[in-house]
Every structure is written in C-alpha cells, then in structure tokens.
Amino acid sequence: SKQTAAAERLFRECLRTITPRTEAEIYSGLLDALIEQRKHQEVVKLCEEGLNKAQATTRVLFHVKMAPALLRLGKTEEAIATMEE
C-alpha cells in the first residue's frame, strides 16, 4: 500500500540518524514495512546489517525477522541456521 511504502521511506530516512535510543524502533518499523511489502531479500539484507551494526537492539529481533524471509526465498538451510544462533 501507499502507506506502507511511505513508512518504509520514513524509516529509511531515520536510519541515517539512528541513535541507541531510537535504534530498535527504527529497525523494527522498517523490517515490518519491508515484510508487509514482501521485500524478502531486503529484509535479509537489513537483518544482516543490524546483526553487524546494531548496538542497542536485541539480536533476537533480526533472527526472528530474517528466518521467515529466508524461507520465502527458498533458503531453508540458512533459515534453520539463523534460528539456531
């Protein structure tokens, strides 16, 4: 929807000025917007980025959001490995 696309743009803009206080909310909101738009590859990319860069966000968020995206991309083994971490 137009609202979801607008939310994605907003959260992407917020990523540029992310702070420890806003980090989890920004990542979570952007991931939700991407999931709703079925942008599975972008979900995986953002989760990988979050796992490498995020400092104030639980790693569980990234694993929980990445595994279903990997499954939808046909990457079953990677999805299982993600959930085992």
Side-chain angles (χ1 to χ4, degrees), residues 54-65:
Q55 298 174 4
T57 304
T58 177
R59 297 175 61 81
V60 172
L61 170 72
F62 302 113
H63 290 290
V64 167
K65 300 286 186 176

Side-chain angles (χ1 to χ4, degrees), residues 10-75:
L10 173 67
F11 284 116
R12 285 195 186 277
E13 185 66 31
C14 291
L15 263 182
R16 296 180 187 164
T17 57
I18 203 165
T19 67
R21 211 169 119 234
T22 62
E23 186 182 86
E25 187 174 343
I26 292 170
Y27 274 117
S28 181
L30 180 51
L31 285 166
D32 288 344
L34 293 172
I35 290 165
E36 190 169 322
Q37 296 175 87
R38 294 178 174 83
K39 294 184 176 183
H40 308 302
Q41 191 61 50
E42 291 184 46
V43 169
V44 173
K45 183 180 173 186
L46 184 62
C47 287
E48 289 172 343
E49 176 186 310
L51 287 167
N52 288 323
K53 293 182 179 179
Q55 298 174 4
T57 304
T58 177
R59 297 175 61 81
V60 172
L61 170 72
F62 302 113
H63 290 290
V64 167
K65 300 286 186 176
M66 186 164 42
L70 287 167
L71 283 174
R72 287 180 179 89
L73 292 168
K75 299 179 179 184

